[in-house]
Amino acid sequence: MALIVSYPTPAGPRYGLVIEGVIHEWQASLFDDDTFTPGRPLMPVENTQLNPPVQPGKIVCIGRNYAAHAAEQNAAVPDEPMLFLKPPSALIGSGATIEIPAGIGRVDHESELAVIIGRRARRVSRDAALDYVLGYTCANDVSARAYQKKDGQWGRAKGFDTFCPLGPWINTDLDPADVAVRCRVNGELRQDGRTAQLVFDVPALIEFISGVMTLLPGDLILTGTPSGISELHDGDVVQVEVEGIGVLENPVRVLQP
Ligand code: MG
């Protein structure tokens, strides 16, 4: 079991292992080492501006995967997983600022469990699906509702720079079947669901998605958001917590034109 972070150095991003709140060196690549042998201790993780813990080739997201969220959007629960993509350029790490361009209307948080693929997955069965997972982290699928509605598809609404906070780290040893997925804004609880409420669970999603497109190491699956979405405003601090992983925290700023 390991908690894997990406931290900045003058030579570029490095991976490390978090042990009792301290980042340790890790002389390994993300996908080739399951011994997780730590090197020397470096610094407390809480004082470090973290990178997103992975650089995916693609971010596959699931719409309306909690019945209570579909209901609050006055939308039906789909009979198959509803896939859309977010661009990797939208990623930011924990602590970085969500930047909302002024005048784009209501922008909401969506707390989600994120799955990080560990090896190439093509037409994988649900029984074998979890063998293809490197680990799990927290994600915020930030969404501009007016564009979602106006455009009829979600590329713009969910694709703005900074609209995919991810982190703080990867937990390689989580059972994703029934963990709490929460969101707090300025300390106030807004979303409080459990992955047991997913319409399509993690193995079903990997089976379905890998039947459509090959999943490669580092690719991300955002599994959908529970009910309780709400609008973000300038100066807010939004926290996504997945039980067993940790807290992804990002301040919000509205960019004036
Ligand atoms: Mg979402």
Side-chain angles (χ1 to χ4, degrees), residues 176-225:
D178 186 19
V179 290
V181 178
R182 302 190 178 101
C183 183
R184 293 181 178 83
V185 178
N186 306 328
E188 180 185 305
L189 188 65
R190 300 283 175 87
Q191 295 185 275
D192 190 10
R194 299 196 68 84
T195 55
Q197 301 161 335
L198 285 167
V199 177
F200 302 100
D201 65 11
V202 172
L205 292 176
I206 292 171
E207 180 179 76
F208 184 84
I209 298 165
S210 73
V212 176
M213 61 188 88
T214 302
L215 291 167
L216 298 173
D219 282 353
L220 278 176
I221 301 171
L222 269 52
T223 54
T225 200

Side-chain angles (χ1 to χ4, degrees), residues 62 84 110 112 141 158 224-225:
I62 315 301
F84 65 95
E110 293 192 356
E112 309 202 4
D141 176 20
K158 290 170 177 273
T225 200

Side-chain angles (χ1 to χ4, degrees), residues 3 20 25 28 36 39 45 59 76-77 99 107 121 128 167-170 193 197 201 231 237 239 251:
L3 300 180
E20 291 176 355
E25 279 186 338
F36 305 119
V45 69
I59 306 172
V77 173
E99 297 179 337
V107 173
W169 44 64
I170 301 166
Q197 301 161 335
D201 65 11
E231 186 172 5
V237 174
Q239 293 176 315

